[in-house]
Structures are given as structure tokens and as C-alpha cells.
């Protein structure tokens, strides 16, 4: 029986018990104090999920614990979530439980990947999520508690406690909370979910296994090539999984950089294609000129050439670069967010079931004029 299943079973405590310390002692926290999940708060959250507390939303790897609505509500309340966050939290967890996401691998890997969740559409504004100044930082209840609720579910239902099932060598602060929204209101570009074919009025959740953001600083360049060359320099490292395991990555363009690029008429597609074309490394750099033995690297796509000077892209396609506009008005900063490699496929989920399924963006040959 998992920790939250035990709570859902209405585990009795002695009156007067210090519940915060009790939850610490039971191992039900992420290392920080939690909000006691009173029956009233849990019932309100279950109602926001649609009622039926025993309804199963899915199974959470690697322990494959059942995520019922009551168990989800308990973890959400402990994280400090409001009932209004329920649809976003459920959509995020459904994305993580999608087989393509490979949550079992993400939970148990020695790598420091954590599930990154980015919300688009009206729901982000309605619940007060932050995609502006310090979007990845503290201070916003919706961002912090939705991300934290995801982690509590991964711990309490999925069982990924270090060092037992979570084998991460170093850890990552993003494993506490890693949920934000795109800054659609201030962005000079169409939102990410619109590029992916969703209607602007739809609300979506994007989930990807990722490292923490890597700062990209450029206070000098004011044209697309210069700014994006700086981003390419951050992307072109052999120290991340993308260099040797391909897969997916994300780019968070700060507002000042995004506006400078947009003034020159560049589109989201132009940006992604430029980053893909001009980032990467020669195969000899990845193999260290075979200093440690002949290297083929079976993890990279078979269609990559392995000649010493062959270019090895960071990811196989521009479509594997997920571009978001984030941050506040001041500061010429952006971020590169490496992925976990080919072992994880990002997943998008609609927040509400009645959202129209996208038929795909208006593209020709995969190039979108957005």
C-alpha cells in the first residue's frame, strides 16, 4: 500500500497530533512541510476533478501505484493547490503517464532529468500562473504548488524516493517543482500550442523530461543571427544528453531577445530551423578523436554520418526544438533547457476534454509560417 493510499484509507491519528511532523515521520513529504489534507479540502478538490473519489486516473511508475481522484486530491492539498488548479494538474499527470513519456525511466534514471510542465491557453491566466518575471523562480502559488503536487504524486504514488527507486546521481532543484506557463500576453509570436495546431482558445499542457534551465546571456547582439548564435553556443556542448543521445530540447526566449528577433520579421519556424542548422558538434569532438577506443555511438540516429568531421546535430529535427517565450520585460537573457535524450518523448494534453483535437498547423513540408 502506498503512502497516499494509506491516507486515502482514512488512517487514524491521535487527537492533538502535530500533523506536519507526523507526515514527515511517515515519509509523505518532499522534504518540506505539507498542508494537512483535511476531509473538507480533499472533498473540494475531488469535486473539482469531477467527483467519484475512487475513479482511477492512471498508474504512476515505477511502483505503478493507482492514482485515484482522492489520492490525487490528497497530494494536491498537501502541496498547497487550490481546487481551481485541478484540471491543469490532472492534464499534466496524464501527460506524464502517457507511455511515450517513459515516466518509469525518468523516475529511475541516474540522470538529473525532471518533468518540465508548460501550460498554454486561457486557463493559465485564469488560475494566475506566471510566465513572466522569474517564471522559473519562487513567488507564484499556482506554479509552485502545481509543480510540487506533481512531485508528491511521483514520490507517494510512484514510489520514486531516493536512493531506492530514484537513482539520480546528483538531483536537481527542478525536482521540487517545475511547472510554468508561456508568456503569451507579451510574446511577439503566436503561442507554442497554436504552432502545434491547437486553437488559441484551447488550453494545453506540455510535458518533457528536462534538465534545469541553462542561462543564455547576450547583451550585445540586436539581430536574429547574433542572438541565436549565442543560443547555439549554449546548445553545442558535449556535456548534455542531447549531444550524445539526441532526443528533444526546449528553448526559452526572453522577451527582449524575442522582440529583437521578431522586429526583423523572423517566425517561430525560422528560429527553430536556424538553431537546428547552426548548433551541434563534429563527430570527432563527441568521440574525442577515438582517444578511448573506436566509438560508433549506437544511441545517435543511424542516418547520422560518423566521419570525423560529420556534423552531429543536437536533436534530429527542428521539430525536436520546443520554443517558448518567457520572462519579464527587463534583461537580455534566455535559456536553453536540455532534454533527457531519445528515451523521452514530450507529450501534450488538452486541459479540458472538450478541446478540439488539432489537425496540425498550416505547414508545407514541416515549415510553419508562425
Amino acid at each position: 500500500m502506498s503512502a497516499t493510499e494509506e491516507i486515502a484509507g482514512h488512517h487514524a491519528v491521535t487527537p492533538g497530533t502535530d500533523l506536519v511532523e507526523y507526515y514527515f515521520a511517515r515519509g509523505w513529504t518532499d522534504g518540506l512541510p505539507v498542508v494537512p489534507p483535511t476531509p473538507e479540502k480533499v472533498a473540494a478538490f475531488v469535486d473539482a476533478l469531477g467527483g467519484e473519489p475512487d475513479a482511477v486516473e492512471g498508474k504512476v511508475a515505477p511502483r505503478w501505484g493507482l492514482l485515484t481522484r482522492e489520492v490525487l486530491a490528497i497530494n494536491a492539498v498537501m502541496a498547497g493547490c487550490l481546487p481551481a488548479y485541478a484540471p491543469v494538474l490532472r492534464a499534466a499527470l496524464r501527460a506524464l503517464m502517457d507511455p511515450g513519456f517513459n515516466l518509469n525511466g525518468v523516475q529511475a534514471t541516474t540522470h538529473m532529468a525532471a518533468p518540465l510542465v508548460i501550460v498554454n491557453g486561457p486557463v493559465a491566466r485564469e488560475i494566475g500562473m506566471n510566465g513572466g518575471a522569474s517564471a522559473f523562480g519562487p513567488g507564484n502559488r499556482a506554479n509552485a504548488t502545481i509543480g510540487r503536487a506533481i512531485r508528491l504524486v511521483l514520490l507517494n504514488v510512484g514510489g520514486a524516493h531516493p536512493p531506492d527507486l530514484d537513482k539520480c546521481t546528483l538531483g536537481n532543484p527542478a525536482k521540487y517543482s517545475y511547472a510554468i506557463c508561456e508568456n503569451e500576453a507579451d510574446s511577439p509570436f503566436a503561442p507554442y500550442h497554436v504552432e502545434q495546431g491547437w486553437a488559441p482558445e484551447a488550453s494545453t499542457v506540455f510535458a518533457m523530461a528536462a534538465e534545469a534551465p541553462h542561462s543564455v546571456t547576450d547583451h550585445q547582439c540586436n539581430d536574429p543571427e547574433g542572438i541565436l548564435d549565442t543560443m547555439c553556443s549554449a546548445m553545442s556542448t558535449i556535456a548534455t544528453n542531447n549531444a550524445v543521445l539526441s532526443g528533444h530540447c526546449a528553448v526559452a526566449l526572453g522577451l527582449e531577445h524575442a522582440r529583437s528577433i521578431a522586429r526583423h520579421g523572423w517566425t517561430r519556424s525560422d528560429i527553430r530551423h536556424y538553431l537546428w542548422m547552426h548548433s551541434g558538434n563534429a563527430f570527432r569532438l563527441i568521440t574525442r578523436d577515438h582517444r578511448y577506443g573506436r566509438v560508433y555511438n549506437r544511441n545517435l540516429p543511424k542516418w547520422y554520418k560518423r566521419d570525423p568531421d560529420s556534423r552531429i546535430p543536437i536533436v534530429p529535427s527542428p521539430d525536436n526544438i520546443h520554443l517558448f517565450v518567457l520572462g519579464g520585460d527587463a534583461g537580455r537573457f534566455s535559456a536553453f533547457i536540455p532534454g533527457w535524450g531519445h528515451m523521452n518523448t514530450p507529450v501534450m494534453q488538452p486541459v479540458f476534454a472538450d478541446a478540439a483535437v488539432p489537425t496540425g498547423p498550416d505547414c508545407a513540408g514541416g515549415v510553419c509560417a508562425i
Side-chain angles (χ1 to χ4, degrees):
M1 178 181 293
S2 72
T4 45
E5 286 172 332
E6 187 176 353
I7 299 174
H10 309 292
H11 187 76
V13 296
T14 304
T17 299
D18 184 329
L19 293 179
V20 171
E21 294 300 327
Y22 180 80
Y23 298 141
F24 273 124
R26 301 290 294 185
W28 294 340
T29 85
D30 53 5
L32 296 170
V34 296
V35 177
T38 63
E40 295 78 15
K41 289 183 176 181
V42 172
F45 209 94
V46 169
D47 286 344
L49 291 168
E52 301 183 52
D54 293 330
V56 177
E57 297 288 348
K59 294 183 177 182
V60 184
R63 189 167 55 194
W64 303 107
L66 284 179
L67 182 64
T68 67
R69 288 180 180 171
E70 185 175 31
V71 169
L72 174 53
I74 291 168
N75 283 274
V77 171
M78 290 198 298
C81 286
L82 295 174
Y85 306 165
V88 171
L89 177 58
R90 172 165 53 191
L93 287 165
R94 284 181 173 174
L96 268 56
M97 292 185 289
D98 184 285
F101 190 85
N102 186 15
L103 183 60
N104 186 60
V106 175
Q107 288 265 69
T109 180
T110 54
H111 188 254
M112 60 175 61
L116 166 64
V117 168
I118 303 180
V119 182
N120 275 104
V123 73
R125 297 185 294 274
E126 292 166 4
I127 66 175
M129 294 191 76
N130 177 30
S134 194
F136 288 108
N140 179 274
R141 181 174 183 173
N143 289 24
T145 61
I146 290 172
R148 189 187 185 197
I150 292 169
R151 177 53 55 184
L152 287 177
V153 168
L154 299 185
L155 288 167
N156 292 329
V157 186
H161 288 273
D164 300 325
L165 295 180
D166 180 349
K167 298 298 184 181
C168 187
T169 304
L170 294 174
N172 176 1
K175 294 183 80 165
Y176 277 101
S177 180
Y178 208 10
I180 60 169
C181 68
E182 187 171 20
N183 189 349
E184 297 180 22
D186 298 321
S187 172
F189 300 110
Y192 174 81
H193 72 306
V194 173
E195 183 186 41
Q196 300 302 308
W198 296 87
E201 60 271 18
S203 294
T204 62
V205 167
F206 166 87
M208 174 185 127
E211 295 182 16
H214 294 209
S215 179
V216 176
T217 305
D218 190 329
H219 289 80
Q220 178 181 13
C221 304
N222 59 10
D223 62 324
E225 291 92 340
I227 294 168
L228 297 178
D229 283 345
T230 303
M231 178 64 72
C232 287
S233 72
M235 297 170 68
S236 301
T237 169
I238 58 173
T240 68
N241 272 18
N242 287 130
V244 294
L245 296 173
S246 203
H248 294 256
C249 66
V251 168
L253 271 185
L255 282 184
E256 289 199 30
H257 286 162
R259 288 167 175 163
S260 293
I261 294 169
R263 278 197 292 269
H264 288 77
W266 284 45
T267 67
R268 296 178 64 99
S269 175
D270 294 328
I271 295 169
R272 290 187 295 100
H273 281 76
Y274 188 96
L275 293 174
W276 181 80
M277 178 66 71
H278 299 289
S279 61
N281 297 285
F283 188 62
R284 61 179 174 77
L285 295 177
I286 294 175
T287 63
R288 275 74 164 186
D289 291 311
H290 302 292
R291 177 179 175 182
Y292 303 100
R294 187 75 184 175
V295 174
Y296 174 75
N297 196 337
R298 60 182 174 81
N299 294 302
L300 293 173
K302 293 180 175 61
W303 45 271
Y304 285 8
K305 288 186 176 181
R306 266 72 169 180
D307 298 326
D309 291 320
S310 295
R311 172 178 165 263
I312 303 299
I314 294 300
V315 291
S317 159
D319 292 336
N320 292 56
I321 300 174
H322 303 276
L323 177 67
F324 297 88
V325 177
L326 296 165
D329 288 311
R332 297 186 68 79
F333 300 98
S334 293
F336 172 55
I337 306 174
W340 185 41
H342 63 79
M343 302 81 70
N344 167 254
T345 300
V347 176
M348 283 192 78
Q349 286 280 341
V351 173
F352 302 106
D354 59 356
V357 177
T359 57
D362 185 16
C363 299
V367 180
C368 303
I370 291 180

